[in-house]
Amino acid sequence: MRDHVTGCARSEGYYKIDKKDKIKYLNSTRLQSDEPDKDMQGRMIPAQPHASTRAGSERRSEQRRLLSSFSCDSDLLKFNQLKFRKKKIRFCKSHIHDWGLFAMEPIAADEMVIEYVGQNIRQVIADMREKRYEEEGIGSSYMFRVDHDTIIDATKCGNFARFINHSCNPNCYAKVITVESQKKIVIYSRQPINVNEEITYDYKFPIEDEKIPCLCGAENCRGTLN
């Protein structure tokens, strides 16, 4: 290799290295890397895994530890599974009321079916929007209460969950869960749901003087939604 007059390659600026010298250097480093390491007594030292391989295995083991920390019935684990693998469902005409949501695959009991998605608004805004929707001639209101202060409005911004009809004998129920400090409404199956079976849940509207007729057709139908 080149002799450095100043004793330091950095102080001598850029200079070109001959290709032959490069090949000699590369070959020598390859031979050194191929030789197994030995300890002071000449015994072989097992090769260490590559940094990226080690990091990948550490990530996978960390994921396994996190998953094992959740129970099989964990809402968070089920919600993550629902995000990666959505249930096959479709909306079409319903014998209960207008449009309805139907299963396109068998759904087991106590599974997350779909998240109720919409805009999170306060009670004051919800009251204003309800009046505006009535003036615009929008008959159905797709507002779902999360808690005392928060309401999800899916009237103009939502997903298929807003098409789920009410039933006095439903095959699903709604549940509020917390994911990353944010409350979400998820529809769970109460019982096994067959293919082409309509998905329903109990709206549980508050009791009011002006009654809304129920057309679910269940044997135990209460007659009204409220």
Side-chain angles (χ1 to χ4, degrees):
M1 299 299 290
R2 175 189 173 104
D3 293 328
H4 302 292
V5 180
T6 60
C8 178
R10 293 182 180 179
S11 64
E12 296 181 12
Y14 173 80
Y15 59 88
K16 191 173 182 180
I17 300 175
D18 190 77
K19 287 185 178 179
K20 292 181 181 179
D21 293 333
K22 281 185 181 180
I23 292 170
K24 287 180 183 178
Y25 173 75
L26 291 173
N27 288 335
S28 63
T29 52
R30 283 199 195 99
L31 289 171
Q32 289 175 6
S33 62
D34 291 340
E35 291 180 0
D37 294 335
K38 297 182 180 180
D39 61 9
M40 296 296 291
Q41 296 179 357
R43 291 174 299 192
M44 298 293 184
I45 299 174
Q48 295 296 321
H50 194 268
S52 61
T53 307
R54 189 165 59 249
S57 62
E58 287 174 358
R59 283 197 298 271
R60 286 192 293 272
S61 62
E62 181 66 23
Q63 287 175 351
R64 285 194 293 270
R65 282 196 295 271
L66 286 172
L67 289 174
S68 63
S69 66
F70 296 120
S71 64
C72 293
D73 296 328
S74 169
D75 289 329
L76 181 58
L77 181 57
K78 286 183 179 180
F79 187 77
N80 287 335
Q81 290 173 345
L82 182 67
K83 284 172 63 179
F84 289 111
R85 201 276 185 191
K86 297 182 184 298
K87 294 288 187 296
K88 293 180 180 178
I89 50 181
R90 64 187 174 91
F91 72 94
C92 59
K93 285 292 183 178
S94 167
H95 70 277
I96 296 176
H97 173 72
D98 204 6
W99 297 96
L101 196 65
F102 295 80
M104 294 180 64
E105 64 175 329
I107 300 174
D110 200 33
E111 280 194 19
M112 284 187 179
V113 179
I114 190 171
E115 180 190 357
Y116 196 93
V117 177
Q119 290 181 314
N120 287 8
I121 57 175
R122 292 177 290 115
Q123 181 65 58
V124 179
I125 304 299
D127 294 338
M128 293 171 59
R129 286 190 179 184
E130 197 169 8
K131 291 179 181 178
R132 191 175 74 220
Y133 292 154
E134 289 178 2
E135 293 173 357
E136 292 176 356
I138 300 175
S140 299
S141 176
Y142 302 98
M143 294 190 184
F144 205 126
R145 180 175 295 279
V146 180
D147 52 32
H148 182 70
D149 300 319
T150 309
I151 293 171
I152 293 181
D153 182 11
T155 307
K156 295 184 177 181
C157 180
N159 62 352
F160 284 174
R162 68 192 189 127
F163 294 112
I164 302 177
N165 279 319
H166 162 86
S167 176
C168 297
N169 185 24
N171 53 20
C172 292
Y173 64 94
K175 184 178 180 181
V176 178
I177 65 171
T178 303
V179 179
E180 296 178 353
S181 303
Q182 191 174 21
K183 291 183 178 179
K184 297 179 179 292
I185 297 174
V186 181
I187 308 301
Y188 279 78
S189 55
R190 287 180 57 188
Q191 61 202 40
I193 301 174
N194 299 320
V195 178
N196 294 326
E197 183 178 348
E198 184 169 3
I199 297 166
T200 58
Y201 67 89
D202 192 340
Y203 285 4
K204 295 183 179 179
F205 281 169
I207 298 173
E208 296 177 352
D209 295 333
E210 188 178 347
K211 298 297 182 181
I212 304 172
C214 178
L215 305 173
C216 69
E219 293 181 0
N220 60 339
C221 181
R222 299 190 296 268
T224 61
L225 271 69
N226 55 350

